């Protein structure tokens, strides 16, 4: 009988080992196809070979470790997450989902399954190097090609990076999931406070929020701060500031809505000059697309009003409109039942961040199991997890796969 507590410790220890593979000494920074990615691949490949898994690295740099099904046409269950990081990251965002997937496979290595099992270590999810996320998982859904011309700060394109790493871009079609896909399960730290507030080790994600990202440029007239009366001013920053407060007010008044004005700049930027131009951003998220769309319309109307009141023009640029992605209902039921079997409560919660599961949900049933984030801290060097929560997640994951095997075996 496999000791799951020891296996969960192995998953944790693996995160510590992988944290040492970094572009920047003294911190954890690992971007798409950077040199440390080879060390991560080597470590996971060695673990996969211990489990007698077939290993390949696809043309997008994703490591894929596969256990064949009982027949050539058996469907595949995918488990995994990403191994890239934000700059100066913590050790668990993404990576823990990969090591837990390997731990699940190790726990079940001697058990017959009616499907194939494929472990995924996505090469990119964070969007750091090229400004757009999910390069790794997009390769599996055949939606990567539009991103190949994106360039990083050094002028290299995604295609250049793939080739420089020694990968064959002509093989990108081979990265696309073929045949029957039973589904995808992603383990991930919550990165928020909900599970901690609920006193729960794990939770089942009901949906991944939809997002709008918008740029707003207010243009007024720069003028002398001392000689221009208030009624004669065309203050672009004042209009932008009113918009930022309106966004906060709308979100506070709308359950589940979050609104962030993350960038605010003004020109010419002198203490004694009225700002003639102001630029700001809006990041708007909600699990219900209709609620989000209504909030966006109201906020942009408000921005136009604030601009008109001050004789300021407004240009709006829509950068992203990502619909909300519900997680598969049957997989969610199996996760809740698996948690109950292990004596755990697993409350439903919405993911306010994007994850690889939302990309794979375009191709197959997808689900996520969140682990509690102590102090809700993530994307930070002090990001941590509780060892007991990792053990709980592994137990739920193993019970989930066994339950899925039982369900598929009766079909």
């Amino acid at each position: 009988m496999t000791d799951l507590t020891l296996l969960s410790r192995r998953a944790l220890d693996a995160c510590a080992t992988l944290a040492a593979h970094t572009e920047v000494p003294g911190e954890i920074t690992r971007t798409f196809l950077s040199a440390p990615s080879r060390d991560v691949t080597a470590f996971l490949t060695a673990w996969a070979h211990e489990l007698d898994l077939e290993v390949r690295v696809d043309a997008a740099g994703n490591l894929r470790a596969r256990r064949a099904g009982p027949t050539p046409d058996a469907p595949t269950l995918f488990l995994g997450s990403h191994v890239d990081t934000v700059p100066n990251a913590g050790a668990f965002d993404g990576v823990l989902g990969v090591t837990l997937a390997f731990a699940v496979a190790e726990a079940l290595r001697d058990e017959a399954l009616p499907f194939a099992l494929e472990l995924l270590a996505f090469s990119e999810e964070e969007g750091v190097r090229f400004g757009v996320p999910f390069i790794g998982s997009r390769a599996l859904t055949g939606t990567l090609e539009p991103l190949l011309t994106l360039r990083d700060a050094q002028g290299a394109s995604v295609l250049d990076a793939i080739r420089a790493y020694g990968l064959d871009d002509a093989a990108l079609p081979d990265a696309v999931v073929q045949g029957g896909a039973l589904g995808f399960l992603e383990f991930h730290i919550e990165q928020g406070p909900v599970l901690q507030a609920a006193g729960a080790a794990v939770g089942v994600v009901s949906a991944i929020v939809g997002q709008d990202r918008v740029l707003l440029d207010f243009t007024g007239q720069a003028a002398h701060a001392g000689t221009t009366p208030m009624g004669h001013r065309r203050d672009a920053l004042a209009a932008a500031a009113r918009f930022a407060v309106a966004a906060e007010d709308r979100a506070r008044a709308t359950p589940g809505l979050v609104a962030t004005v993350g960038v605010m700049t003004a020109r010419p930027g002198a203490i004694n000059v009225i700002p003639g131009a102001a630029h700001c951003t809006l990041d708007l998220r909600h699990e219900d697309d209709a609620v989000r769309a209504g909030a966006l319309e109201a906020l942009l109307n408000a921005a136009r009003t604030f601009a008109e009141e001050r004789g300021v023009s407004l240009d709006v640029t829509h950068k992203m409109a990502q619909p909300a992605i519900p997680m598969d209902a049957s997989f969610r039921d199996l996760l809740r039942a698996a948690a109950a079997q292990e004596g755990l409560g697993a409350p439903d919660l919405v993911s306010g961040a994007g994850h690889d599961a939302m990309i794979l949900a375009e191709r197959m049933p997808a689900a996520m199991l969140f682990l509690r984030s102590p102090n809700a801290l993530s994307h930070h060097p002090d990001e941590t997890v509780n060892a007991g929560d990792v053990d709980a997640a592994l137990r739920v994951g193993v019970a989930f796969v066994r339950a899925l095997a039982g369900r598929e075996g009766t079909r």
Side-chain angles (χ1 to χ4, degrees), residues 177-189:
V177 171
Q178 305 294 329
L182 189 58
F184 173 66
L185 173 63
E186 182 173 8
F187 302 93
H188 207 285
I189 58 173

Side-chain angles (χ1 to χ4, degrees), residues 256-280:
L257 184 71
V258 291
T260 304
V261 176
V263 175
M264 178 81 75
T265 59
R267 298 192 308 274
I271 194 170
N272 60 343
V273 179
I274 298 163
H279 168 81
C280 69

Side-chain angles (χ1 to χ4, degrees), residues 16-35:
T17 298
L18 296 177
H21 301 313
T22 175
E23 298 169 61
V24 182
E27 64 180 51
I28 306 171
T29 299
R30 190 170 52 248
T31 57
F32 175 59
L33 298 185
S34 58

Side-chain angles (χ1 to χ4, degrees), residues 70 75 83 105 115 163 201 208 235 301 370 411:
V83 292
F115 43 76
R163 291 171 176 171
I208 299 174
D235 189 330
N301 286 338
F370 271 175
R411 291 187 176 182

Side-chain angles (χ1 to χ4, degrees), residues 10 25 66 78 80 106 122 147-148 216 234 250 282 337 376:
R10 181 174 189 180
R66 185 174 180 84
F78 296 88
E106 184 167 345
F122 291 118
L147 307 186
L148 294 177
L216 298 95
R234 296 173 58 203
R250 179 80 184 203
L282 174 66

Side-chain angles (χ1 to χ4, degrees), residues 166-343:
L167 299 169
D168 180 8
D169 58 280
L172 279 171
D174 296 333
V176 178
V177 171
Q178 305 294 329
L182 189 58
F184 173 66
L185 173 63
E186 182 173 8
F187 302 93
H188 207 285
I189 58 173
E190 180 197 347
Q191 302 177 281
V194 175
L195 292 177
Q196 180 169 273
V202 295
V204 177
V205 175
S206 58
I208 299 174
V209 294
Q211 298 184 40
D212 287 291
R213 294 187 183 181
V214 182
L215 311 181
L216 298 95
D217 288 284
F218 296 85
T219 304
Q221 178 65 61
H224 196 293
T227 61
T228 308
M230 298 303 292
H232 291 264
R233 297 182 178 218
R234 296 173 58 203
D235 189 330
L237 181 59
R242 284 293 303 273
F243 171 75
V245 173
E248 181 189 44
D249 289 345
R250 179 80 184 203
R252 286 182 179 273
T254 307
L257 184 71
V258 291
T260 304
V261 176
V263 175
M264 178 81 75
T265 59
R267 298 192 308 274
I271 194 170
N272 60 343
V273 179
I274 298 163
H279 168 81
C280 69
T281 61
L282 174 66
D283 180 309
L284 195 67
R285 308 188 188 202
H286 198 276
E287 65 175 305
D288 186 317
D289 289 336
V291 172
R292 193 183 80 256
L296 179 62
E297 182 180 9
L299 287 174
L300 293 182
N301 286 338
R304 295 183 186 100
T305 298
F306 300 142
E308 290 170 3
E309 289 173 347
R310 291 161 180 79
V312 171
S313 65
L314 172 63
D315 288 323
V316 176
T317 303
H318 296 265
K319 295 294 289 184
M320 185 178 82
Q322 170 68 51
I325 306 294
M327 296 291 94
D328 182 74
S330 66
F331 273 26
R332 288 166 54 197
D333 288 344
L334 286 176
L335 282 172
R336 282 191 291 264
Q341 178 182 316
E342 296 299 322

Side-chain angles (χ1 to χ4, degrees), residues 33-39 41 57 61 160-167:
L33 298 185
S34 58
S37 301
R38 298 186 189 278
D39 300 316
T41 296
V57 176
D160 292 336
I162 287 171
R163 291 171 176 171
Y165 198 75
L167 299 169

Side-chain angles (χ1 to χ4, degrees), residues 10 35 65 72 138 141 167 258 261 337 369 373 379:
R10 181 174 189 180
R138 287 182 192 276
T141 59
L167 299 169
V258 291
V261 176
L369 185 74
S373 288
H379 283 188

